[in-house]
Amino acid sequence: VGPRCTAPASSSGIMQRSIRTCLMRGGSSKGVYLHAKDLPAPGPLRDNVILRLFGSPDTRQIDGLGGADVLTSKLAIVGPPSVPGADVDYTFGQVSFVSSQVDYKGNCGNISAGVGSFAIDEGLLPPPGAGETHRVVRIHNTNTSAILKATVPIGAHGAEVDGSTAISGVPGTGACIDLDFSATSGSVTGKLLPSGHRSEMLSVAGGDGHGPEELEVTLLDAGQPTVFVRSADLGLAPTTCASSVLTAVALADAALLRRIERIRGAGAVRMGIVQTWQEAEEKSPYTPFVVLVGPAPGADEPKDLTATCIFMQQLHKAYPVTGSVATTAAALLPGTIVHTAAKPPTGALRIGHPSGVMEVEGCVEDGKSPTLVRASIARTARRLMDGSAYVPWAVWPKL
């Protein structure tokens, strides 16, 4: 018989603090959705509570709710609106599993897809009225100060789940949620084109056997600040960006990933997000994205271009919604490297990515200061579980 451990006495009978929690899939991501009122105020204590909930930092997140993947270590904090014209406030957090950090600098469009349904089902909005089939939920994203619009199908008992909409990266089908990101131009930097250029040469530091280099890029901020680079300029064929197997093999190259991180850092400096390229990994690991773009592999392919996103220093196994907003805006703007790579779209832009194809309805008003007029995408979402999650009292002590 092994040694027995004696638990310390507790006057409450509960050894940990419980926090109301919902685990939800939004688009092709999965996250923990929490009520703002159930957490400490923004600051170090709140971040420590979140890190402990997720089991971070730990690459397995074995002692928490995180899924040990950049697509599942995500957080939505939802509460009453703080600005006119919104129905709810929503704060997104990307929870690192390699460092004690929650990054709030950008938004996740896939996690955004679940916010409307969560707000409806949690009673943050009035219950469905008689005969009401859809509810437009105006979501104030506190990370970017933008208001997103989610059109959520509803029934007598809340948000609908069953439907015929399929999205790449998620098995099966679900009820269609229309997400409108039209108001996300300049989401972080304040400008659609943060540097004022549609394409430019970017000076990138050397390292890992690579010397300093100059690469042509497009820097664009809609949905999420993004650094666009031609896949061919990194030695990757367009077919690589269209195949999950080939992309995974190519991006298993640690030196290539570090090179991409240096490009991301240089882009972050040019956009005014950080002061030096070295700060990007430490202070802003989520923002900006890097997207490798190339032409569609064949004229008959149901794609207008190919794209692979790198974020949190890893390959995105599908494609980020906020990244698709930036990609669509860039594809519709003459003079960008994305516009050059893409076929002229005849309708929605079809983005070929490692898990399939994503379609985005978009419109850009061109001119000296181009404006994003429309960016809309269909997503699905599903509540997976709800209940209580726990953190030790030592992390969040009683008052």
Side-chain angles (χ1 to χ4, degrees):
V1 179
R4 298 181 65 183
C5 296
T6 303
S10 170
S11 59
S12 67
I14 300 176
M15 305 308 297
Q16 301 186 81
R17 183 190 286 269
S18 66
I19 300 172
R20 183 172 38 161
T21 303
C22 174
L23 187 65
M24 195 165 186
R25 177 185 61 78
S28 56
S29 293
K30 185 165 60 179
V32 174
Y33 289 67
L34 302 172
H35 287 265
K37 65 182 180 182
D38 293 338
L39 290 171
L45 175 58
R46 188 178 76 171
D47 286 356
N48 287 338
V49 169
I50 291 166
L51 289 165
R52 193 58 188 266
L53 277 176
F54 276 75
S56 288
D58 171 27
T59 55
R60 296 183 301 156
Q61 293 183 316
I62 197 68
D63 198 32
L65 300 177
D69 188 284
V70 289
L71 298 187
T72 59
S73 194
K74 294 174 178 277
L75 169 76
I77 302 172
V78 185
S82 62
V83 297
D87 296 311
V88 293
D89 273 5
Y90 148 61
T91 300
F92 168 71
Q94 181 73 42
V95 183
S96 174
F97 43 76
V98 297
S99 65
S100 297
Q101 184 176 21
V102 185
D103 194 341
Y104 300 105
K105 285 191 174 64
N107 182 28
C108 172
N110 280 300
I111 293 299
S112 301
V115 173
S117 298
F118 176 83
I120 292 168
D121 291 343
E122 292 291 311
L124 294 173
L125 302 177
E132 188 178 9
T133 60
H134 289 81
R135 174 75 60 84
V136 177
V137 183
R138 294 160 298 179
I139 302 165
H140 172 229
N141 176 234
T142 65
N143 307 73
T144 62
S145 299
I147 293 183
L148 321 175
K149 294 180 181 178
T151 302
V152 182
I154 57 176
H157 303 292
E160 293 282 7
V161 173
D162 293 327
S164 59
T165 298
I167 61 175
S168 297
V170 179
T173 60
C176 179
I177 298 168
D178 182 78
L179 281 177
D180 181 356
F181 284 84
S182 302
T184 62
S185 182
S187 61
V188 172
T189 67
K191 296 179 181 179
L192 183 66
L193 297 170
S195 68
H197 302 290
R198 302 187 181 208
S199 66
E200 60 192 283
M201 299 305 294
L202 187 68
S203 297
V204 180
D208 301 301
H210 289 276
E213 58 183 331
E214 297 274 328
L215 284 173
E216 187 177 13
V217 301
T218 289
L219 306 176
L220 190 140
D221 181 4
Q224 173 76 355
T226 304
V227 181
F228 292 98
V229 185
R230 292 187 188 89
S231 57
D233 288 347
L234 299 185
L236 301 174
T239 51
T240 297
C241 289
S243 164
S244 59
V245 175
L246 290 175
T247 302
V249 170
L251 294 177
D253 182 346
L256 175 59
L257 285 175
R258 294 306 305 166
R259 183 184 179 193
I260 292 171
E261 178 58 25
R262 292 192 298 275
I263 295 169
R264 194 184 75 87
V269 172
R270 190 77 178 92
M271 290 180 169
I273 296 170
V274 294
Q275 296 297 312
T276 67
W277 73 265
Q278 296 94 333
E279 289 180 336
E281 188 169 8
E282 177 186 350
K283 295 184 177 181
S284 188
Y286 184 75
T287 301
F289 292 162
V290 173
V291 169
L292 314 181
V293 295
D300 297 330
E301 290 274 348
K303 305 167 185 174
D304 296 316
L305 76 162
T306 60
T308 298
C309 179
I310 315 299
F311 79 121
M312 299 296 289
Q313 297 79 52
Q314 294 192 34
L315 164 72
H316 197 298
K317 298 178 180 65
Y319 206 69
V321 169
T322 48
S324 78
V325 174
T327 304
T328 301
L332 296 174
L333 200 58
T336 71
I337 64 172
V338 185
H339 183 272
T340 303
K343 300 176 188 174
T346 56
L349 181 73
R350 301 168 300 175
I351 304 170
H353 58 79
S355 292
V357 178
M358 178 180 284
E359 296 189 3
V360 186
E361 297 279 353
C363 179
V364 171
E365 188 175 282
D366 202 355
K368 185 176 181 180
S369 298
T371 304
L372 177 67
V373 176
R374 175 171 169 75
S376 178
I377 186 168
R379 297 281 87 182
T380 64
R382 187 169 78 88
R383 178 183 293 248
L384 305 176
M385 63 79 63
D386 53 37
S388 295
Y390 295 89
V391 295
W393 286 111
V395 176
W396 186 5
K398 292 182 180 180
L399 295 177

